Amino acid sequence: QLQLQESGPGLVKPSETLSLTCTVSGGSISSSSYYWGWIRQPPGKGLEWIGNIYYSGSTYYNPSLKSRVTISVDTSKNQFSLKVSSVTAADTAVYHCASVAAAVNAFDIWGQGTLVTVSS
Amino acid sequence: DIQMTQFPSSVSASVGDRVTITCRASQGISTWLAWYQQKPGKAPKLLIYAASSLQSGVPSRFSGSGSGTDLTLTISSLQPEDFATYYCQQANNFPWTFGQGTKVEIK
């Protein structure tokens, strides 16, 4: 059974870069059966899609964040990562990584989420 | 971007009630819609994908229907563990977008 776990700093200073890693277990990140995504949720608010990365290496980002976001895969570590540059307090949120089963085209397995606070 | 509008934003219901939540897309999304359940402090859980396909392990009291711009999630007989917030999400076009959520509360 696929499992995902986010890791990274819980506190980031304004204007710096937020970096998170999602470790995948129970399956290969290189599988063509899955692709991978990031979603965030500001405290007390709804869900916001950040972006997806496909096994081909193609990436799709939310235009609201596009110029600041990078998603990449490290197949040697079975991980994928998220970087958000030039963060502000508005980037404070719980960040979730998730898998998308290609046959389902929805986020079927989620990491528990990690709270990232942007504050000096 | 495709805007997803959920209604109602909240509903008070009793155990055993039938609850219907609607998601309206600003343009047609065929059946590229998923429904998620989220409980406080937890990650969302996939309930329905492709508008009407029940995710493995999800109770059959959950069902989805519709296509195009109006899609619905129905809980046929509300159980105590179903009190939560529900979100729809379209995967027809990038950027993928979520509805604002519907909170199902105890009456």
Side-chain angles (χ1 to χ4, degrees):
Chain A
Q1 174 72 350
L2 209 57
Q3 291 185 307
L4 285 73
Q5 178 69 57
E6 305 89 350
S7 59
L11 181 64
V12 180
K13 290 182 168 57
S15 80
E16 295 189 345
T17 296
L18 176 162
S19 295
L20 296 175
T21 297
C22 184
T23 299
V24 178
S25 58
S28 172
I29 202 165
S30 301
S31 170
S32 59
S33 299
Y34 282 94
Y35 42 99
W36 314 97
W38 289 93
I39 306 97
R40 70 180 184 179
Q41 186 170 32
K45 296 189 178 180
L47 300 164
E48 180 182 31
W49 174 75
I50 298 171
N52 291 352
I53 186 164
Y54 292 74
Y55 60 85
S56 63
S58 298
T59 51
Y60 296 85
Y61 301 133
N62 194 323
S64 68
L65 297 163
K66 185 175 183 178
S67 62
R68 300 192 294 127
V69 170
T70 303
I71 298 175
S72 59
V73 167
D74 186 337
T75 55
S76 67
K77 295 181 179 179
N78 224 38
Q79 296 174 335
F80 63 106
S81 65
L82 170 71
K83 293 186 187 299
V84 182
S85 62
S86 306
V87 297
T88 69
D91 294 307
T92 293
V94 174
Y95 286 76
H96 292 276
C97 61
S99 65
V100 181
V104 167
N105 208 34
F107 295 111
D108 61 335
I109 307 291
W110 292 64
Q112 65 184 26
T114 186
L115 175 63
V116 178
T117 301
V118 178
S119 175
S120 55
Chain B
D1 297 5
I2 297 176
Q3 307 303 316
M4 304 300 293
T5 303
Q6 273 182 249
F7 52 90
S9 56
S10 66
V11 57
S12 294
S14 301
V15 172
D17 284 354
R18 181 182 184 90
V19 173
T20 297
I21 300 168
T22 298
C23 201
R24 178 163 291 161
S26 60
Q27 63 189 77
I29 59 169
S30 184
T31 56
W32 290 111
L33 187 90
W35 290 97
Y36 302 88
Q37 176 194 69
Q38 187 179 34
K39 296 181 179 179
K42 300 294 187 181
K45 173 186 174 184
L46 178 64
L47 301 175
I48 301 284
Y49 63 94
S52 61
S53 296
L54 193 67
Q55 174 69 345
S56 175
V58 174
S60 59
R61 62 181 179 272
F62 292 94
S63 64
S65 64
S67 67
T69 58
D70 285 352
L71 299 97
T72 61
L73 172 71
T74 299
I75 309 171
S76 61
S77 177
L78 201 63
Q79 297 302 301
E81 60 268 30
D82 300 337
F83 293 96
T85 299
Y86 294 83
Y87 293 93
C88 62
Q89 175 245 317
Q90 66 83 19
N92 186 70
N93 283 358
F94 288 111
W96 287 6
T97 45
F98 289 88
Q100 80 278 15
T102 295
K103 188 171 185 179
V104 177
E105 300 175 298
I106 301 172
K107 192 172 186 178

